[in-house]
Amino acid sequence: MRNSKKRVSWRVAQVVISSLVGLAIVGAFVWATQGRDMPVLNPKGIIADQQQVLILITVGLGVFVVVPVFILLFAIAFRYRVGNTKAKYDPELEGSKVLEAVWWGIPLIIILILAIITAISTHALDPYKKIESSTAPVKVQVVALQWKWLFIYPDQDIATVNYLTIPDNTPIELSITADAPMNSFWVPALAGQVYAMTGMSTKLSFMADAPGEYRGASANISGEGSADMSFMVRSVSKTDFSHWLYKSSYSPNMLSWDTYEKLAQPSRGDGEKTYVVTGKDLYNQIVMKYMDSGSSSQPHTNTQTDHTMNGMDMSGMGM
Amino acid sequence: MIDQIMQTLFGRLTPQDFVHDPIMAGAGIAMVGALILAIAAVTFFKKWKWLWQNWITSLDPKKIGIMYIIVSIIMLLRGFGDALLLRAQQVVNDANGVEILSSDHFQQIFSAHGSIMIFFVAMGLVFGVFNLILPQQLGSRDVAFPFLNSVSFWLFFAGMIIINMPLVVGEFSNAGWLAYPPLSGLQYNPGTGVDYWIWSLQIAGIGSLLSGINFFVTILKMRAPGMGLMKMPIFAWSALGSTALIMFAFPILTVTLALLSLDRLIDTNFFTTTLGGSAMLYINLIWAWGHPEVYILVLPAFGIFSEVVATFSGKKLFGYTSMVLAIIAITILSFTVWLHHFFTMGAGADVNTFFGIMTMIIAIPTGVKVFNWIFTMYRGRVRFTTPMLWFMGFIVTFTIGGLTGVMMSVPAADFQFHNSLFLVAHFHNMIVGGVLFGVFAAFTYWFPKFTGFMLNERLGKMAFWSWLVGFILAFGPLYILGFMGAIRRMDHYDPSLGWQGLFIVAGVGILFMGLGVLFQLAQVAYSIWKRKEHAVGPDPWNARTLEWATATPPAEYVFATIPTVTTRDAFWQMKKDHKTNDRPEHYEDIWLPKNRSEGFIVGMAALVFGAAVVWHIWWLLIVSLLIVIVVLVVALTRDDTEKRIPAEEIAREELRRATV
Ligand code: HEM
Ligand SMILES: [Cu+2]
């Protein structure tokens, strides 16, 4: 009698404690998350928008497996707990052809759907694909250095360090390389990442919906200062962009091969800088720096060759 | 002149290399101190001979398994300390100029953390469980190659020492657990760090490869009569998949590390970015090993949970054939998905599509397994003991990890997850919630088998709940941080982003997991202390498989007579037929391997070899290599390797055990 009373109060205590713990966990998550920006789920560019939709579709499909799993797990465990002698006990039950067919089948169907979505989206969101738009694209060449980003506007002969100014609603076509260990160029609000590698030129396009500031980073470690490699993408109106270009063309800093080599020295905590580019074909030289010897042994399987570029193009590389 | 002599004698080692910052020096002193204390204790209690005869030179898989587990637990504590430091750094985030770790030190620590947790915790625990359980479960007394088993363990041990050496001398790699070039190449990493990483993994990896072969052959060749493949316990099936993966994947690792090492030692250019080398080649190779590796770890956990859920539901495993097919499918598919680790390299859309789809296909057999596990409880009598709690926790965390895995297997979506904290959350979901929870379940489940007493259930449950809460708090925030664009491996971030709160929550999570670890240590200590009250017979859980048919703790020879198997769940059947107490009319002599010191010597020589390469001490390298070769040749040509246990002795022993 006393014992069972004690057990009941222990049960109650358990329920209370676990609810409190659960609440505390939820509270902690809310406290730490509230009001923070989630660029992956709150994208500001046409590419990241589609990637967000893709993520939501995948989660939506996944829910068809995850939710039944959780329900079945707890329902079956509860129903067939040892204390419940009313439930049927069948120790020799080995399986069920029908049930097993169901759970080979349902995931199969879901994955089939997802596979189709994957095939379509991977081609549609191929980072090498250019964005179609009535506005002429702006080209930017990106170089990952130790430990800063260099952005060259080849058509405007301007270069910047650690910030990128772009006109909104305009396709931005990036060619990306590194003169450093491998980095990964990522601006979550605008588009997913692509590696930056020496002797190679990868590509990425994005287009911002509106003016705003979007943070970018290097997602891959590249030595001591890798965490310093965050930068700001400033999307501005087209007129502001022209103003910015005009202003920048009066920058006192010149970027020639010599100044580039100084810039490429490892350094941390560099601020933002603006240059007028005086060196010719800087980007290609940086790519070719690593290609001078033995490059013939590299496969050249360019399918979308950019004529101004000699570096190894990664597209269509079937490795 | 003197300089030259010193250089010949000590390579690039200088007294300067022993100087460390306070945190590392502290850890180093603690490690060395503990070692000295252990040596002093062994000497004081005059236990050297006991240690040598009963453990170091033993070829008994039960002993080797326990040694694996002890080493892994110590390494778990080390890796755990690393994790605490990493999070502490991110919580404080250099606020007010307070820097807990320098960037370089931070990077060394996460590189050490990942490498240690995979190679010396997860792998070690898996091999420990294989050694303890597999032979007995198959109705065998031993593994196929007992001496090789000892060599494997001591190579593992040597690798473990090498990866901990930087605490005392030199520095560790800062290039992450997979050390991508060019960062890990000479140009950016001329010091000893990457060499430590390479040779630790290389030596331990060769041990793993040998072990893999050993257990693969054991499973195929050493099963009790009557135990056809389709009557094998599912844990053995999962071990078969895992060891098959080891045999095919680890040679890739060996070659990759060797090439990277050549790049660093004699300036070859396999993975440099000049002279036709290609870092991408390395990335492909390392993941051609790396992806199978994660399944090498998780398949045994699948096996453990299959045994646990069947036992505690008092019922046959649901869908045995499906489970076997799923294991085979996963094993094969594991080799076809490695590129999902670098969709962002810029390969064409067709290539990415192919590997994306192959990756999601793995989710199908994995999903099937989850449903079969759940339905094993259906029409059962489910007892919620600690192993069963780990099982429930596993299903929940593993399912979430599976979902996030599938999310990343869509290439265009992965561009947003890759190298972010979302990815980090995914694989911890799999490795902590899958592998570690699995081993914890195994530990509680099989502990009484080897000791004759149970682990305290109450402390075990407290450990479980601490771990679960800690797990949610530690890794939940990382998913959210991933959505916020937080990358992995950053030692500081812009405070205005507002990420600190989530890092604090994650840090609190680690503390809860630490509490779980404390409960576990307390559980072991308390259960040993009160072992009389926790004492149990040979079949405390009403289990199903053959390892429970032997005495508790098992005799050195395990089975006095090798059982004949007619069905799955052979022990369950014996109980049904009331045959568990059957004794044969007479016993026969049993031959068991004698103790061998060569395994230990080879391991120690390999340790010296590793240190010699790291420090470029060429004479020592040659000497140690010669020792390895000579000792191995001698060892393999010896023939009086077995000792006889006479039938009378067995009869006496069996009688004694039966009457106790
Ligand atoms: C349903 C099955 C799974 C799927 C679909 C899946 C998918 C993936 C994908 C696509 C990645 C690469 C993400 C990226 O780098 O951007 C990844 C990374 C990873 N997964 Fe899984 N995974 C699954 C199961 C597992 C399991 C069972 C384990 C371990 C036991 C595991 C451990 C890891 C690890 C360690 C990494 C990355 C490590 C690193 O980059 O350092 N995964 N997974
Ligand atoms: Cu993988």
Side-chain angles (χ1 to χ4, degrees):
Chain A
M1 179 65 200
R2 260 193 82 135
N3 226 342
S4 76
K5 216 178 212 168
K6 218 162 141 195
R7 198 176 297 148
V8 169
S9 51
W10 172 229
R11 267 282 148 73
V12 173
Q14 266 181 327
V15 172
V16 172
I17 292 172
S18 45
S19 328
L20 284 179
V21 171
L23 271 178
I25 293 176
V26 174
F29 277 85
V30 171
W31 164 73
T33 312
Q34 213 186 28
R36 312 301 202 282
D37 183 31
M38 288 199 210
V40 173
L41 296 181
N42 180 23
K44 300 288 189 220
I46 178 172
I47 300 291
D49 276 345
Q50 296 174 61
Q51 285 166 330
Q52 180 219 24
V53 172
L54 197 56
I55 291 167
L56 296 181
I57 292 176
T58 322
V59 176
L61 282 170
V63 162
F64 282 100
V65 175
V66 173
V67 169
V69 163
F70 286 174
I71 293 175
L72 286 171
L73 174 69
F74 291 108
I76 294 182
F78 182 73
R79 167 110 182 114
Y80 294 99
R81 68 192 185 278
V82 71
N84 183 11
T85 43
K86 274 183 280 175
K88 208 167 177 179
Y89 178 46
D90 182 1
E92 298 303 316
L93 180 66
E94 282 195 315
S96 148
K97 290 262 144 39
V98 179
L99 284 176
E100 285 170 61
V102 169
W103 52 72
W104 277 99
I106 291 181
L108 187 78
I109 293 169
I110 292 177
I111 295 301
L112 211 67
I113 299 171
L114 197 58
I116 295 168
I117 295 171
T118 298
I120 297 170
S121 65
T122 307
H123 286 86
L125 291 171
D126 183 353
Y128 282 59
K129 213 174 120 179
K130 297 185 170 150
I131 295 170
E132 281 166 34
S133 163
S134 50
T135 319
V138 171
K139 286 201 172 74
V140 180
Q141 298 164 332
V142 182
V143 186
L145 299 173
Q146 277 185 318
W147 287 279
K148 61 228 148 213
W149 292 96
L150 171 65
F151 301 100
I152 303 170
Y153 297 74
D155 298 334
Q156 288 83 6
D157 284 334
I158 304 279
T160 59
V161 169
N162 285 342
Y163 81 99
L164 176 63
T165 301
I166 55 168
D168 66 351
N169 288 306
T170 308
I172 311 298
E173 292 174 2
L174 305 157
S175 306
I176 301 168
T177 191
D179 194 359
M182 190 172 96
N183 281 273
S184 192
F185 177 89
W186 189 27
V187 187
L190 297 179
Q193 65 199 280
V194 169
Y195 285 163
M197 297 171 283
T198 49
M200 275 169 250
S201 187
T202 47
K203 291 187 186 183
L204 181 66
S205 291
F206 54 58
M207 182 159 95
D209 296 339
E213 293 210 329
Y214 311 115
R215 207 185 61 91
S218 174
N220 197 64
I221 42 160
S222 56
E224 228 186 308
S226 13
D228 298 343
M229 291 189 68
S230 65
F231 58 95
M232 207 45 94
V233 179
R234 300 208 177 87
S235 163
V236 296
S237 69
K238 293 185 184 79
T239 23
D240 286 352
F241 184 66
S242 309
H243 282 154
W244 175 79
L245 281 178
Y246 179 75
K247 215 175 74 203
S248 301
S249 66
Y250 285 98
S251 164
N253 308 320
M254 302 293 151
L255 190 67
S256 62
W257 184 254
D258 285 346
T259 36
Y260 166 76
E261 289 205 305
K262 278 199 205 89
L263 181 67
Q265 294 303 313
S267 63
R268 299 186 60 172
D270 300 56
E272 299 183 349
K273 278 195 204 110
T274 310
Y275 293 92
V276 172
V277 179
T278 55
K280 250 193 79 179
D281 224 10
L282 218 50
Y283 181 82
N284 285 328
Q285 282 188 54
I286 297 168
V287 176
M288 293 308 287
K289 204 171 133 180
Y290 293 89
M291 303 291 293
D292 49 1
S293 38
S295 61
S296 55
S297 68
Q298 295 280 6
H300 275 260
T301 48
N302 303 3
T303 54
Q304 298 168 26
T305 314
D306 183 339
H307 292 295
T308 62
M309 239 189 43
N310 304 307
M312 178 170 162
D313 192 297
M314 287 291 300
S315 64
M317 223 185 79
M319 16 193 332
Chain B
M1 179 63 188
I2 291 205
D3 276 1
Q4 224 151 25
I5 295 175
M6 293 304 269
Q7 213 191 345
T8 313
L9 277 181
F10 295 111
R12 51 176 168 168
L13 181 63
T14 65
Q16 213 53 38
D17 292 309
F18 288 91
V19 180
H20 280 92
D21 69 36
I23 291 180
M24 245 167 136
I29 290 168
M31 292 281 278
V32 173
L35 201 68
I36 292 173
L37 217 64
I39 291 174
V42 174
T43 312
F44 181 80
F45 292 108
K46 301 206 173 62
K47 288 285 189 190
W48 280 111
K49 203 167 158 204
W50 168 83
L51 197 63
W52 181 259
Q53 288 183 344
N54 278 301
W55 297 94
I56 293 176
T57 61
S58 172
L59 301 197
D60 182 348
K62 300 186 284 306
K63 297 263 172 71
I64 292 179
I66 289 171
M67 291 195 288
Y68 264 115
I69 287 177
I70 290 173
V71 172
S72 306
I73 289 175
I74 295 172
M75 284 302 99
L76 178 65
L77 296 177
R78 147 103 215 243
F80 197 81
D82 289 341
L84 265 175
L85 278 173
L86 296 172
R87 277 289 172 270
Q89 165 75 22
Q90 287 167 322
V91 166
V92 174
N93 191 26
D94 298 350
N96 313 319
V98 183
E99 188 182 60
I100 296 184
L101 303 168
S102 68
S103 300
D104 183 50
H105 192 185
F106 181 88
Q107 294 174 342
Q108 289 184 42
I109 294 184
F110 68 62
S111 306
H113 169 79
S115 315
I116 287 178
M117 286 301 199
I118 296 278
F119 276 86
F120 299 105
V121 178
M123 282 301 264
L125 291 171
V126 164
F127 283 130
V129 177
F130 280 0
N131 266 290
L132 286 168
I133 308 305
L134 259 186
Q136 306 196 51
Q137 201 174 52
L138 297 170
S140 165
R141 295 196 175 104
D142 208 338
V143 296
F145 310 113
F147 172 62
L148 199 64
N149 200 14
S150 162
V151 173
S152 298
F153 171 76
W154 288 108
L155 290 178
F156 166 81
F157 186 86
M160 184 278 288
I161 299 286
I162 292 175
I163 209 165
N164 283 291
M165 272 169 71
L167 288 178
V168 179
V169 51
E171 48 175 22
F172 193 62
S173 165
N174 62 355
W177 80 284
L178 289 177
Y180 283 7
L183 183 59
S184 60
L186 265 190
Q187 189 190 352
Y188 296 109
N189 246 315
T192 53
V194 177
D195 297 308
Y196 269 131
W197 180 83
I198 292 177
W199 289 98
S200 169
L201 266 58
Q202 186 68 299
I203 291 170
I206 290 172
S208 302
L209 176 57
L210 297 177
S211 243
I213 297 171
N214 204 344
F215 283 105
F216 187 78
V217 177
T218 303
I219 298 169
L220 288 185
K221 289 285 178 198
M222 310 271 289
R223 298 191 309 276
M227 187 187 279
L229 282 178
M230 288 308 277
K231 290 192 182 131
M232 215 160 62
I234 209 79
F235 175 70
W237 262 109
S238 70
L240 189 67
S242 171
T243 50
L245 286 174
I246 291 177
M247 289 199 306
F248 287 103
F250 268 76
I252 308 177
L253 177 70
T254 308
V255 171
T256 313
L257 292 176
L259 295 182
L260 182 64
S261 191
L262 286 178
D263 271 11
R264 296 178 56 80
L265 287 173
I266 58 168
D267 232 346
T268 52
N269 285 278
F270 293 108
F271 304 133
T272 58
T273 43
T274 48
L275 293 168
S278 166
M280 293 184 298
L281 179 63
Y282 178 92
I283 298 175
N284 270 281
L285 285 171
I286 201 79
W287 281 116
W289 159 79
H291 185 84
E293 167 68 12
V294 304
Y295 278 92
I296 288 167
L297 296 175
V298 88
L299 279 175
F302 287 176
I304 291 165
F305 283 124
S306 304
E307 306 295 349
V308 163
V309 70
T311 296
F312 293 103
S313 302
K315 200 173 142 284
K316 283 186 177 157
L317 184 71
F318 200 89
Y320 178 94
T321 313
S322 277
M323 291 301 233
V324 170
L325 287 178
I327 288 172
I328 295 173
I330 290 173
T331 303
I332 294 170
L333 286 169
S334 288
F335 277 104
T336 61
V337 300
W338 77 92
L339 193 131
H340 66 212
H341 293 280
F342 46 94
F343 284 139
T344 49
M345 198 182 264
D350 292 335
V351 175
N352 279 353
T353 304
F354 173 79
F355 282 96
I357 293 176
M358 289 317 283
T359 304
M360 41 190 87
I361 290 178
I362 294 201
I364 301 172
T366 313
V368 168
K369 293 188 77 77
V370 170
F371 283 110
N372 278 333
W373 284 320
I374 294 176
F375 270 76
T376 300
M377 298 188 291
Y378 174 72
R379 295 199 178 159
R381 284 272 182 270
V382 186
R383 287 168 284 156
F384 290 99
T385 55
T386 319
M388 207 48 200
L389 290 185
W390 290 115
F391 167 81
M392 300 288 287
F394 157 76
I395 298 284
V396 172
T397 57
F398 193 79
T399 307
I400 295 171
L403 173 67
T404 55
V406 171
M407 288 166 74
M408 293 189 299
S409 65
V410 182
D414 179 63
F415 298 160
Q416 289 282 39
F417 293 131
H418 183 53
N419 275 346
S420 74
L421 288 176
F422 186 95
L423 163 72
V424 175
H426 157 73
F427 69 74
H428 282 86
N429 240 311
M430 293 315 214
I431 295 181
V432 177
V435 183
L436 219 49
F437 282 17
V439 176
F440 291 161
F443 192 72
T444 336
Y445 178 54
W446 278 303
F447 188 88
K449 171 80 244 169
F450 294 94
T451 59
F453 58 93
M454 294 262 214
L455 285 172
N456 184 279
E457 278 282 295
R458 169 164 290 191
L459 283 165
K461 286 181 178 165
M462 302 215 291
F464 167 77
W465 288 110
S466 307
W467 266 96
L468 191 73
V469 170
F471 182 84
I472 296 168
L473 288 174
F475 298 110
L478 303 197
Y479 282 123
I480 303 174
L481 280 164
F483 286 127
M484 291 178 176
I487 56 170
R488 71 195 289 195
R489 296 169 169 167
M490 50 177 186
D491 54 294
H492 62 86
Y493 47 90
D494 182 353
S496 70
L497 289 164
W499 293 347
Q500 196 182 29
L502 285 164
F503 278 116
I504 293 175
V505 176
V508 172
I510 298 197
L511 295 181
F512 270 95
M513 292 201 279
L515 191 66
V517 173
L518 289 182
F519 277 130
Q520 286 169 312
L521 295 177
Q523 182 195 29
V524 173
Y526 181 80
S527 312
I528 294 176
W529 180 40
K530 300 265 180 190
R531 59 186 171 281
K532 293 240 168 63
E533 284 146 54
H534 290 91
V536 286
D539 181 25
W541 308 115
N542 194 9
R544 318 178 65 79
T545 39
L546 266 188
E547 75 273 22
W548 299 99
T550 60
T552 288
E556 189 189 2
Y557 51 78
V558 190
F559 295 97
T561 48
I562 298 291
T564 304
V565 173
T566 52
T567 58
R568 276 174 212 155
D569 291 343
F571 181 54
W572 185 259
Q573 191 64 35
M574 283 162 76
K575 288 193 278 192
K576 272 204 324 207
D577 302 343
H578 305 291
K579 281 195 176 148
T580 47
N581 289 321
D582 285 7
R583 314 240 157 259
E585 327 244 289
H586 63 92
Y587 293 95
E588 275 167 31
D589 293 356
I590 292 174
W591 291 85
L592 287 178
K594 278 185 186 164
N595 280 19
R596 304 282 294 265
S597 55
E598 293 99 323
F600 177 70
I601 298 172
V602 167
M604 292 305 110
L607 167 59
V608 174
F609 174 86
V613 198
V614 170
W615 291 101
H616 296 179
I617 309 174
W618 308 123
W619 65 270
L620 193 58
L621 181 151
I622 297 171
V623 171
S624 51
L625 193 61
L626 279 176
I627 296 179
V628 171
I629 295 171
V630 170
V631 172
L632 276 182
V633 170
V634 170
L636 296 176
T637 46
R638 265 176 59 171
D639 33 74
D640 71 332
T641 57
E642 296 200 324
K643 62 181 177 198
R644 186 175 71 98
I645 302 180
E648 310 84 71
E649 196 182 315
I650 296 163
R652 224 177 305 127
E653 176 69 15
E654 289 295 303
L655 189 68
R656 188 184 67 80
R657 284 172 183 268
T659 48
V660 167

